[in-house]
Amino acid sequence: MGTFLFNVFALFTLLSAAGVVVNRNAVNAAMCLLLALVGVASLFVALNAYLLAFLLLLVYAGAVAALFLFIVMLLDVKGEQRPGLKHLPLLARLGALALVAAGVASFLARGRLVAPPAPAGAALGAQLKLYAYQLFTTYLLPVQIVGFLLLAAMLGVVVLSKKFEDPEDAK
């Protein structure tokens, strides 16, 4: 049952990620991104990594995807026709194709991944209390700086997307 659920969640995540890439409407692409993040969180739950699943949902799905969705809606972006692949140079297309082929060949050559043996004792920092202690002592300044930068970026997008009227037109 566990492998079946893992495969279902993996397929759901892949389809949602493909929806992000192929959608022309930015709002629909953002919603597919949100679904892909939920799919990755469900994969973490299937792997018994509950803390990572919770943090992914809280930070990425809850904050970043919602912020992206609000900014896209604020900018009122219309789905426009994308340029085709004919404008992409031949060398870039061949390089991308070679990387995909190398990845598929590597996956087929190695087969299933073997899980490493479990350590005898609990890993250092495996408890939530130690994560919280390090977050609020050692990494407090970087977290605050990233939060401030995200706030500045959001305010910048709001200012740039605001449509100002010309004073000459108002007369």
Side-chain angles (χ1 to χ4, degrees):
M1 184 68 175
T3 57
F4 174 73
L5 283 177
F6 184 84
N7 289 335
V8 167
F9 291 144
L11 182 65
F12 175 75
T13 304
L14 286 174
L15 290 175
S16 300
V20 173
V21 175
V22 299
N23 265 320
R24 292 177 187 216
N25 189 347
V27 175
N28 290 341
M31 293 304 289
C32 285
L33 174 66
L34 188 63
L35 288 175
L37 291 173
V38 169
V40 172
S42 62
L43 287 173
F44 282 146
V45 168
L47 293 172
N48 295 326
Y50 302 112
L51 179 66
L52 288 176
F54 176 73
L55 288 176
L56 183 105
L57 285 176
L58 184 72
V59 173
Y60 288 108
V64 174
L67 182 67
F68 179 72
L69 186 63
F70 287 140
I71 288 173
V72 165
M73 291 172 69
L74 182 68
L75 288 176
D76 194 27
V77 177
K78 305 282 190 277
E80 293 147 6
Q81 190 74 349
R82 291 185 192 167
L85 289 179
K86 60 186 173 204
H87 298 295
L88 193 61
L90 179 65
L91 185 61
R93 281 188 270 175
L94 290 177
L97 187 63
L99 285 174
V100 169
V104 169
S106 171
F107 179 73
L108 292 176
R110 291 187 185 161
R112 295 192 68 121
L113 296 175
V114 179
L124 181 64
Q127 298 174 356
L128 188 58
K129 184 177 181 180
L130 294 175
Y131 284 126
Y133 178 76
Q134 283 194 342
L135 181 65
F136 289 113
T137 56
T138 307
Y139 299 108
L140 182 63
L141 183 62
V143 168
Q144 294 293 325
I145 290 172
V146 167
F148 180 73
L149 288 175
L150 284 173
L151 176 68
M154 184 178 67
L155 290 175
V157 167
V158 168
V159 168
L160 289 175
S161 66
K162 180 114 173 112
K163 293 181 176 62
F164 294 104
E165 293 182 13
D166 288 335
E168 297 172 1
D169 293 340
K171 293 180 182 179

